[in-house]
Amino acid sequence: ACAHTSLLQSSFQPGMKLEVANKSNPDTYWVATIITTCGQLLLLRFSGYGEDRKADFWCDVMTAELHPVGWCAQNNKTLMPPEAIKEKHSDWTEFLIQDLTGARTAPANLLEGPLRGKNTVDLIVDGSVLELQDLLDPYLYWPVRVIQNVGGRLRLRYAGLSEEYHDHDTWLFYLDVRLRPLGWAQENCLTLEPPTGESLISFTSDWQQALEDAQLDGQKNPLPLEVFKDHVDLPKHSFKMGMKLEMVSPWEQLQICPVSVTKVYNEFYFQVMLDDLSAEAKPHFVVCHANSPGILPVQWCMKNGVGLERPRAYEGQDFDWADYLKQSGTEAAPDACFPDVSMGRDFAKDMWLEAVNPHRPAEVCVAQVTQVRGRLLWLRLEGVPKPLSECIVDVESMDIFPVGWCEANAYPLTPPIKPVCQKQKKIAVVQPEKQLARSQPVEASPVNHCQPAALDPGSANGRYCCSKIFVNHRCFSGPYLNKGRIAELPQAVGPGKCTLVLKELLSMLINAAYKPGRVLKELQELEDQSWDCQEETLKAKYKGKTYRSTIRIVRLADQIPDFCRKVCVKLQCCPNLFSPILVTDKCPENCSVQTKTKYTYYYGKKRKLSKPTAGEETAEGELAKPTRRRKKRKAIFVQKKRRSSAVDYTPAEMALQSGSEGTSSEPREDHTDTSSVEVTSSRPRRATALRRAVSAGNPALSPALSPEAPAGRRRSTRSLSAYNQNSKYQPVEEEEGQLVLDRNPLEWSVDEVVQFINSTDCASLAGIFQEQDIDGQALLLLTLPTVQECMDLKLGPAIKLCHQIERVKVAFYKQYAN
């Protein structure tokens, strides 16, 4: 709808001139032209470059040093062209005179003061005075005061009426052709009179005083003319007296009636009256123009399969336009008189939107499109009792808005009497997409889904919208985020609606992570009772798999700083890594001098510091010798791709599956019915993640798991006497070098796995199993690629370890598979 599109318009227009600080020469300025706008951002080109776009640059109205033309002369500042074009002209003074002749300068009040950077719609403040055209006479105007501005939809009160007459208030969108700036009527030789039918201002002295008061108020607080820059000039009409046409009835609901042109005021306005053939007919007429919504050519209803109401007292059984025109001796208005009647603007049946209740203009309702015919939409208003719940509107109507408009402007939306759809069950797990794709970097784009930023967070229009959120690339990135990928992100995201800006920003951070799924999990746990949140679904792609999770995102602009900081703390990075504050040089947190360990301790999950043993304590004043730190091993997190072919499970595989029903809080693939009951497990989560791979996909672990695996790779190992002495369940070494297990490895604990590894020639790796909580079930799931990737082992040690694991697998199949 055009009402929504207009909210995205900037108060600045392409072609406007202004004076801009010259970066190459401090304390000097030069004239620049606005090429295009994007919210509070302006694309500028210095005068002298002509059509050359290579030096175009963006600037923010709220932060850049911009001034109207003539400011330098008034303040004794130097005008100097940029160095790149300095030699292009010999006389720059003469050039500027020619360049600025007939040009329009950017208004000073939009470059400084309280109106700086504001959108057009926000220039209209409570108390502003305009002139409103009379409904029944296009030559009459009367001042009105703005009582409320809701996203450009104005609540207006006639001058002379007090608060007690609020029932007479009028609601109009600020682009309505009936609204004009104060002084319009006088400039165009029109009449200023109270509105027809308003008997409340009955005496001449009363309305004369009201007129003077309104004009005085308008002069004290003049409305910037930029408000009316988007008003459409009315085209000339070609209607003549006596012409017949069809029209959506302004008097009766859901009716399209024959009407006649009864008066032509001028080349812009004409009057139509409802055809009524009865003797006691009361005239119903309305003023129209060439673009009036609802006027249609003769036989439009027949061509579009819509019923046409017969004129009252029409004698014929079926209404026929040819007979009717012949009997009345009139002619049909030509099709050329009407706007494009076929334009539907991509509306379709069953679409949802928000619409004004025509019976209560202050009320905006949830509405569903029930029918589309040419330019007309049939709407059903939810929450409005029948039969008043249906209406017909034009596709260009300024009384229809996209879903979310009321929320963005903090205006109450009338809810449906019955829910539109059944509330879906919320699942707090990360679910994979069927389509698998490689991880792609996310590019930020301007979030223009609501009016752009530079809104005052305290105002109704700006409460749910925010300015830019900056990505401060120099700040500490923490253990989860890849510093190189962070450096590739744009410097800022926004302005726009809070939830949309944050959703895009979080998506960028997730894709900049070493393991996006882990960051997604951390964000899923983020919560604060004081926040006004909205749940959004975010995605993470990692190694060919896509995960989803529901994240709570704040909706209010004043909660964004706290939200950003807590997200940073959750990800163990600098609290200013992304923030509404731009860090230009040195971070206030001084994060650049902190080591990763210290920074994690202060801002991330505080970890316990191990106490030194008696032999490690140092005397006072002595320097402690640096201890060698073992390289941190990667946490095991295995996920198997699901195969489409059916698999025959052996009893042993069924045993593996039955032991792997536990869930964990890690992001995971979920191919099962999400409504089924999940059994929680007290087992360590990394081991659980391994076991879950069996449930999610093919339980075939590796060729070595098969009972038919070749024995040619078996090697003899050292004696297991140490293991036999320490282990409660002692395997017995056969002559052939194979293990004989006295206990099913599916039941081994983490300590028993560590004891077994200690008894082999891979004892140096036993600590990894303890670190990563690998029990018997997880041990049987390990393969060579998994060991290499998650334990960070080179090929040689990995093969040696896998050989020992393979011996356990073979013994398991021989002894317990059947």
Side-chain angles (χ1 to χ4, degrees):
C2 61
H4 175 60
T5 306
S6 66
L7 300 185
L8 306 179
Q9 302 296 327
S10 169
S11 302
F12 296 93
Q13 290 179 286
M16 282 184 173
K17 304 281 187 179
L18 36 76
E19 294 176 357
V20 186
N22 200 335
K23 293 182 180 180
S24 59
N25 293 307
D27 299 326
T28 65
Y29 299 82
W30 191 241
V31 176
T33 305
I34 298 176
I35 304 301
T36 189
T37 66
C38 180
Q40 66 186 36
L41 302 180
L42 305 179
L43 181 64
L44 303 178
R45 181 182 302 165
F46 279 124
S47 295
Y49 277 96
E51 299 300 320
D52 189 356
R53 299 182 299 175
K54 67 181 180 182
D56 291 2
F57 60 98
W58 288 94
C59 70
D60 189 332
V61 178
M62 301 300 292
T63 58
E65 190 176 355
L66 306 176
H67 304 283
V69 173
W71 179 86
C72 286
Q74 294 173 3
N75 294 274
N76 296 322
K77 299 292 183 179
T78 305
L79 276 174
M80 182 180 294
E83 290 292 338
I85 58 172
K86 201 170 184 179
E87 306 299 329
K88 195 171 181 180
H89 294 277
S90 57
D91 189 348
W92 283 103
T93 303
E94 181 63 28
F95 170 82
L96 283 182
I97 292 174
Q98 295 179 2
D99 187 53
L100 295 176
T101 300
R104 184 184 175 192
T105 180
N109 59 346
L110 299 183
L111 296 172
E112 54 194 22
L115 300 182
R116 180 177 182 178
K118 283 196 173 184
N119 301 317
T120 304
V121 68
D122 293 315
L123 298 177
I124 308 173
V125 296
D126 295 353
S128 298
V129 181
L130 304 94
E131 291 182 354
L132 179 62
Q133 186 187 50
D134 190 88
L135 264 176
L136 303 178
D137 189 340
Y139 295 127
L140 297 184
Y141 282 80
W142 189 249
V144 289
R145 284 186 176 87
V146 177
I147 305 301
Q148 189 178 2
N149 178 3
V150 182
R153 192 163 185 262
L154 308 179
R155 180 183 175 189
L156 306 169
R157 185 171 299 159
Y158 287 107
L161 297 186
S162 60
E163 173 65 28
E164 59 182 309
Y165 300 112
H166 61 83
D167 292 340
H168 294 262
D169 290 351
T170 302
W171 284 87
L172 288 176
F173 200 70
Y174 83 103
L175 292 179
D176 196 293
V177 294
R178 293 177 60 203
L179 284 174
R180 298 293 178 181
L182 190 65
W184 167 270
Q186 187 174 358
E187 290 176 7
N188 292 273
C189 302
L190 301 173
T191 305
L192 282 169
E193 284 187 9
T196 307
E198 287 290 348
S199 58
L200 300 169
I201 311 175
S202 53
F203 301 103
T204 305
S205 59
D206 292 341
W207 65 256
Q208 186 63 38
Q209 183 62 45
L211 176 62
E212 292 175 2
D213 292 343
Q215 290 176 336
L216 187 61
D217 291 345
Q219 292 170 3
K220 288 181 180 178
N221 300 299
L223 197 63
L225 293 177
E226 284 69 34
V227 170
F228 300 95
K229 69 180 179 62
D230 295 317
H231 269 226
V232 177
D233 293 331
L234 288 178
K236 296 179 181 179
H237 70 79
S238 52
F239 288 92
K240 297 178 181 178
M241 281 278 294
M243 282 185 173
K244 300 282 187 181
L245 59 150
E246 297 176 2
M247 182 178 186
V248 178
S249 174
W251 310 282
E252 297 293 336
Q253 187 180 7
L254 292 176
Q255 289 187 4
I256 300 178
C257 312
V259 294
S260 302
V261 177
T262 54
K263 187 176 183 179
V264 176
Y265 291 101
N266 52 31
E267 57 189 1
F268 300 111
Y269 294 100
F270 59 95
Q271 183 189 81
V272 298
M273 187 170 69
L274 178 68
D275 284 5
D276 189 340
L277 306 180
S278 62
E280 65 279 7
K282 294 182 180 180
H284 292 281
F285 55 88
V286 65
V287 174
C288 296
H289 50 80
N291 286 342
S292 288
I295 58 172
L296 307 164
V298 163
Q299 295 190 341
W300 182 92
C301 285
M302 184 186 72
K303 294 176 182 177
N304 288 274
V306 178
L308 178 68
E309 287 292 318
R310 293 183 300 171
R312 191 178 176 191
Y314 180 76
E315 295 179 354
Q317 183 71 22
D318 297 317
F319 181 79
D320 181 75
W321 264 114
D323 293 341
Y324 184 59
L325 292 173
K326 186 176 180 181
Q327 291 173 9
S328 60
T330 54
E331 62 173 328
D335 291 351
C337 294
F338 301 88
D340 183 5
V341 293
S342 63
M343 181 179 60
R345 280 198 176 273
D346 298 327
F347 283 98
K349 184 182 177 182
D350 295 330
M351 283 184 173
W352 292 92
L353 44 86
E354 296 175 6
V356 174
N357 182 351
H359 307 286
R360 299 180 62 185
E363 185 177 57
V364 181
C365 307
V366 174
Q368 184 179 27
V369 178
T370 59
Q371 187 178 186
V372 180
R373 293 289 184 272
R375 292 178 58 95
L376 300 185
L377 307 177
W378 275 251
L379 302 181
R380 183 176 64 247
L381 305 178
E382 301 290 336
V384 179
K386 293 183 178 180
L388 303 178
S389 59
E390 298 187 17
C391 62
I392 303 174
V393 299
D394 189 89
V395 294
E396 293 287 339
S397 170
M398 295 184 186
D399 287 334
I400 58 176
F401 306 92
V403 170
W405 183 86
C406 280
E407 180 186 13
N409 291 284
Y411 193 75
L413 176 67
T414 301
I417 296 177
K418 295 180 180 179
V420 175
C421 60
Q422 293 294 326
K423 189 176 180 181
Q424 296 182 351
K425 183 179 179 182
K426 294 179 181 178
I427 303 166
V429 294
V430 184
Q431 300 198 20
E433 282 188 342
K434 293 181 181 178
Q435 298 293 333
L436 304 180
R438 295 183 179 180
S439 176
Q440 297 291 336
V442 178
E443 295 182 1
S445 58
V447 183
N448 285 330
H449 302 282
C450 73
Q451 56 260 50
L455 296 174
D456 177 11
S459 70
N461 294 339
R463 190 181 178 199
Y464 294 91
C465 293
C466 65
S467 302
K468 291 181 181 180
I469 299 180
F470 297 96
V471 180
N472 297 307
H473 302 94
R474 296 183 180 181
C475 287
F476 179 75
S477 59
Y480 295 115
L481 303 178
N482 186 313
K483 186 73 173 178
R485 293 180 189 170
I486 290 289
E488 295 174 359
L489 298 181
Q491 189 179 22
V493 181
K497 188 177 177 182
C498 295
T499 51
L500 296 174
V501 172
L502 288 174
K503 184 177 180 181
E504 185 162 355
L505 179 68
L506 294 178
S507 297
M508 290 163 41
L509 292 177
I510 288 169
N511 284 279
Y514 293 107
K515 291 188 177 180
R518 181 60 190 276
V519 170
L520 198 60
K521 171 187 170 293
E522 295 290 335
L523 295 176
Q524 186 179 351
E525 297 173 354
L526 191 66
E527 189 173 6
D528 191 308
Q529 296 297 329
S530 64
W531 289 344
D532 181 4
C533 291
Q534 175 177 320
E535 292 189 343
E536 293 286 348
T537 301
L538 297 183
K539 299 178 184 178
K541 295 181 180 180
Y542 182 59
K543 293 196 173 177
K545 295 181 177 63
T546 303
Y547 308 93
R548 289 182 179 178
S549 180
T550 301
I551 309 297
R552 286 170 287 275
I553 298 176
V554 297
R555 300 164 63 232
L556 303 180
D558 56 2
Q559 294 178 344
I560 282 184
D562 183 51
F563 178 81
C564 290
R565 187 174 185 88
K566 288 187 177 178
V567 169
C568 290
V569 169
K570 190 72 175 174
L571 299 182
Q572 303 179 31
C573 57
C574 174
N576 292 323
L577 180 62
F578 63 96
S579 164
I581 301 172
L582 176 63
V583 177
T584 55
D585 187 16
K586 187 176 181 181
C587 175
E589 301 288 342
N590 203 22
C591 61
S592 60
V593 302
Q594 299 288 350
T595 64
K596 196 164 193 174
T597 305
K598 284 183 179 180
Y599 210 87
T600 301
Y601 180 80
Y602 286 115
Y603 293 105
K605 299 174 181 177
K606 299 186 179 182
R607 300 172 182 175
K608 294 180 180 179
L609 302 177
S610 59
K611 295 181 179 179
T613 61
E616 293 174 337
E617 292 180 359
T618 58
E620 186 175 355
E622 290 181 359
L623 292 174
K625 295 181 180 179
T627 57
R628 183 179 179 184
R629 288 153 114 199
R630 184 169 59 196
K631 184 177 180 181
K632 185 179 178 181
R633 306 294 182 180
K634 290 184 181 177
I636 293 182
F637 184 83
V638 180
Q639 292 187 330
K640 296 286 182 179
K641 289 185 180 177
R642 187 176 187 181
R643 299 186 183 180
S644 58
S645 58
V647 180
D648 295 329
Y649 296 102
T650 64
E653 291 165 339
M654 296 302 290
L656 274 171
Q657 284 184 311
S658 65
S660 61
E661 293 176 356
T663 62
S664 77
S665 59
E666 293 282 353
R668 61 184 180 90
E669 287 190 272
D670 190 353
H671 296 281
T672 59
D673 184 1
T674 54
S675 62
S676 61
V677 178
E678 294 184 344
V679 183
T680 58
S681 170
S682 59
R683 292 189 178 274
R685 60 184 179 184
R686 293 188 181 90
T688 307
L690 282 167
R691 291 193 299 278
R692 185 164 57 248
V694 178
S695 301
N698 189 346
L701 302 174
S702 71
L705 255 173
S706 172
E708 291 81 13
R713 291 169 59 193
R714 300 171 184 151
R715 303 185 210 168
S716 61
T717 61
R718 64 179 181 170
S719 171
L720 298 181
S721 57
Y723 183 80
N724 293 337
Q725 292 170 7
N726 297 324
S727 176
K728 183 178 178 181
Y729 306 100
Q730 300 177 359
V732 180
E733 186 77 22
E734 287 189 350
E735 293 180 1
E736 299 179 359
Q738 291 186 350
L739 289 176
V740 177
L741 306 173
D742 286 347
R743 177 173 167 81
N744 191 334
L746 287 174
E747 301 172 359
W748 284 5
S749 67
V750 177
D751 290 338
E752 289 172 306
V753 171
V754 172
Q755 287 178 4
F756 170 72
I757 298 298
N758 274 326
S759 69
T760 68
D761 56 355
C762 299
S764 61
L765 304 177
I768 302 176
F769 289 79
Q770 186 74 53
E771 261 185 36
Q772 302 194 6
D773 298 330
I774 300 174
D775 59 8
Q777 292 185 27
L779 179 74
L780 293 177
L781 292 171
L782 292 177
T783 61
L784 180 59
T786 303
V787 167
Q788 279 188 277
E789 177 188 348
C790 296
M791 294 188 178
D792 202 18
L793 296 179
K794 293 184 179 179
L795 183 60
I799 291 176
K800 185 186 290 187
L801 178 59
C802 285
H803 171 68
Q804 299 299 338
I805 297 171
E806 183 181 316
R807 292 172 65 231
V808 179
K809 292 178 183 178
V810 172
F812 164 75
Y813 268 90
K814 289 190 68 175
Q815 294 179 238
Y816 299 102
N818 297 318

